[in-house]
Amino acid sequence: MQVKVLGPGCKNCVALEKATHEAIDRLGLDATVEKVTDYAEIAGYGVMATPALVVDEKVVSSGRVLTPTAIQELLTSVTAHRAS
Amino acid sequence: MSVVEHIPTTTRGRLATVVAVAAAWAGLYWLNGQVWDRLLDDLLGLDPDARVTESLHFFLFDTVKIALLLTGIIFVITVARSYMSVERTRALLGGRREGVGNVMAAGLGVVTPFCSCSAVPAFIGFVAAGVPIGVTLSFLIASPLVNEVAIGLLLTMFGFEVTLAYVGAGVSVAIVAGWVLGRLGVERWVEPFVFETRLGGQLVDDTAALTFNQRLQMGAEEVASILRRIWPYLLVGIGLGAVIHGWAPEDLFTRYAGPGNPFAVLVAVLIGIPLYSNAAGIMPLVVALHDKGLPMGTLLAFMMAVVALSLPELILLRRVLRVPLLVTYVAVVAAGIVAVGYLFNLLLA
C-alpha cells in the first residue's frame, strides 16, 4: 500500500503525517508514506485544500487533519475493498 | 480528542447533549460577569478605582469573555459551514464571467470554510478550472478579510450595525479589488506553471456524506485548533488593551488619531499591513481604543489591514504570483480598505 500526504509543510500537514504513521503502525500494515510538497503535483491530484491524504493514487480526504482512528477506518475500508 | 464517541446517536440524546453544553456555556458566561468584582474588590480588598485594579479587571474579565465567545462562535460557524466546501465553490464559479463572478466569489469567500494555508492549491485549482484570475482573487481577498471570528466578536461587542458595515465593506473591497486586478490583465504576472497544471484525479467532496455527529466533532476540533493557535495573540492583545484601558490618558489617541486628523485612516492601514495577527488578537485592542474615543472607521480599517494583508500569506502567494502582481494586489486592497475607513468615519460618526 502506498500512502501520500499532500501539503506544503505547514503545521497541519505535519500533524496529518504523524497521525497517518500512527494509524499504519496500529494496523500493522505494510505501507510506505510519502510526503508531497510540490504545489503543481498537489494540484494535479485535484486537491484544493491541504492537507490531503492519498491512498494508492486515490484522494481519500482533503482539507482536514484526520485523527489516527479516522485514518485507520479509511485504510481498513480500502484494504477490504481490494480484497473483495 | 474525540468528541464524537460521547455524543448519543439518537436525535433526542443529541439534543439533550447540545442543550446541556449550551447551558453550561451560558452559566460560565454569567459567572464571568460576577466573579472578578467579588474576587478583586471584596476578597483581595483592592481599590476598585485604582488603575492597577481596572487594568487587572479588564484583563481577567476580557480573557475569559473572549475565550468563551470564540468557543461558541467558532463551533456554531464551523458546523454551519461544514455544508459548504471549496470544491462546491469552484463548481459554482466555473464559467462565470467577471463582474457577476467577482460578486459571487466574494460572497462565497465569506461562507466557504477555507484556511489561508490552502491559498496556493486553491488558486491553482480555480485557475486551472477556468475561473478568471480576478474572480479567483476576489475569493482569496474576501476569505480572510470577512472573518467569522471577527463577525462574531464585533456582533457581541459593537452590535448589529457595525457588524453589518464590516461585512458589507469587506465584501465590497473584495469585489472591487478583484475586478480591478482582473481588468489590469495580470495574467502575465502569474507563474506559468499554474496554467500548465492539468487537473488529474477525482475531486473529493466528502462533506455531503458527513453525519451530524461528525459535524459536531469537526466543530469541537476547530475550536481546539484555533484556540491553540491564537492564544498568544489573544493574551498579548488583551494585555495591551488592559494597559491602554488603565493608563493611556483620555486624549492621547484622539489627539493623534482622532476625528481631527485627516491622515489617521491612512496611517492606521499602513501600520496594519505588516502587522501579523488575527481578528481575535486585534479585537481587544479595538475595544480599548474605541473606549478612548477613536472613530470606528479608523479602527475597522486598521483591523482589516492587519487581518487581510500579512507578510506570511504574501510569501505563500509568491509561489504562484510574481512580485509586480503582489505589489499591485497589496496596493489595490489597501486602497479599498482606506476608502472604507474614511467612508465609515463619515457614516458612523
Side-chain angles (χ1 to χ4, degrees):
Chain A
M1 183 179 282
Q2 192 193 25
V3 182
K4 287 180 179 172
V5 178
L6 275 49
C10 54
K11 224 173 174 181
N12 286 344
C13 318
V14 178
L16 182 67
E17 196 195 358
K18 219 175 125 198
T20 308
H21 276 295
E22 194 174 332
I24 290 171
D25 286 347
R26 280 194 207 165
L27 289 171
L29 284 174
D30 178 28
T32 58
V33 179
E34 190 190 329
K35 270 182 87 170
V36 177
T37 53
D38 181 57
Y39 279 119
E41 205 179 324
I42 292 173
Y45 282 98
V47 162
M48 286 193 293
T50 54
L53 196 66
V54 172
V55 180
D56 290 336
E57 295 305 300
K58 196 166 172 284
V59 184
V60 292
S61 158
S62 98
R64 289 183 65 193
V65 179
L66 299 169
T67 58
T69 320
I71 300 172
Q72 256 177 296
E73 281 166 23
L74 272 174
L75 294 177
T76 328
S77 80
V78 171
T79 5
H81 189 75
R82 200 192 296 160
S84 63
Chain B
M1 180 193 69
S2 184
V3 179
V4 74
E5 282 121 49
H6 303 293
I7 310 172
T9 42
T10 60
T11 314
R12 211 186 208 175
R14 190 161 59 208
L15 192 70
T17 314
V18 171
V19 168
V21 171
W25 185 92
L28 282 174
Y29 194 84
W30 175 82
L31 203 63
N32 185 44
Q34 309 286 321
V35 73
W36 303 118
D37 278 335
R38 298 271 165 82
L39 188 72
L40 295 179
D41 305 346
D42 302 347
L43 239 73
L44 295 176
L46 296 174
D47 174 11
D49 297 321
R51 284 178 168 179
V52 186
T53 323
E54 272 189 28
S55 287
L56 202 61
H57 188 278
F58 182 95
F59 184 79
L60 294 169
F61 173 72
D62 268 51
T63 304
V64 178
K65 180 182 168 186
I66 292 177
L68 280 171
L69 283 176
L70 283 177
T71 306
I73 293 159
I74 296 168
F75 181 78
V76 170
I77 290 182
T78 306
V79 173
R81 289 214 294 201
S82 71
Y83 292 91
M84 211 43 217
S85 68
V86 189
E87 286 78 14
R88 199 172 298 171
T89 292
R90 183 175 71 173
L92 286 169
L93 289 178
R96 298 279 164 193
R97 303 174 64 91
E98 286 170 327
V100 183
N102 294 105
V103 176
M104 282 186 65
L108 288 165
V110 178
V111 297
T112 310
F114 185 73
C115 157
S116 60
C117 48
S118 294
V120 171
F123 181 87
I124 300 172
F126 277 40
V127 172
V131 180
I133 307 272
V135 175
T136 305
L137 289 174
S138 277
F139 175 83
L140 288 182
I141 295 167
S143 192
L145 186 54
V146 186
N147 178 287
E148 70 275 20
V149 175
I151 292 179
L153 290 174
L154 277 174
L155 195 61
T156 41
M157 290 176 180
F158 293 106
F160 192 67
E161 196 187 343
V162 172
T163 312
L164 204 66
Y166 162 74
V167 175
V171 171
S172 309
V173 167
I175 294 171
V176 174
W179 186 80
V180 168
L181 289 167
R183 290 286 97 187
L184 291 173
V186 290
E187 280 80 1
R188 62 204 140 107
W189 291 327
V190 173
E191 295 291 346
F193 86 87
V194 172
F195 299 107
E196 287 153 15
T197 302
R198 288 284 154 265
L199 294 179
Q202 74 298 348
L203 284 180
V204 263
D205 186 1
D206 43 12
T207 53
L210 292 171
T211 65
F212 195 72
N213 277 5
Q214 280 173 321
R215 293 179 201 276
L216 294 179
Q217 159 88 16
M218 279 166 72
E221 279 174 11
E222 188 71 6
V223 168
S225 121
I226 290 187
L227 287 184
R228 211 178 295 138
R229 197 171 63 228
I230 66 174
W231 71 265
Y233 296 98
L234 201 61
L235 288 186
V236 169
I238 298 173
L240 278 174
V243 170
I244 291 172
H245 185 82
W247 270 277
E250 251 350 283
D251 63 341
L252 175 73
F253 292 99
T254 43
R255 204 186 318 148
Y256 294 107
N261 183 352
F263 296 108
V265 174
L266 194 64
V267 174
V269 170
L270 289 179
I271 295 174
I273 293 173
L275 274 187
Y276 175 54
S277 180
N278 42 50
I282 219 75
M283 198 59 75
L285 263 181
V286 168
V287 173
L289 290 171
H290 187 254
D291 286 346
K292 295 286 178 186
L294 283 203
M296 206 62 220
T298 310
L299 290 172
L300 278 182
F302 175 65
M303 189 180 91
M304 287 175 146
V306 172
V307 175
L309 299 167
S310 71
L311 209 53
E313 204 198 347
L314 291 175
I315 290 170
L316 263 183
L317 282 174
R318 172 65 194 89
R319 305 287 288 270
V320 279
L321 309 179
R322 294 205 168 136
V323 175
L325 177 47
L326 282 180
V327 173
T328 321
Y329 174 86
V330 173
V332 171
V333 175
I337 294 173
V338 169
V340 161
Y342 282 116
L343 189 71
F344 282 171
N345 278 349
L346 283 176
L347 293 179
L348 298 172

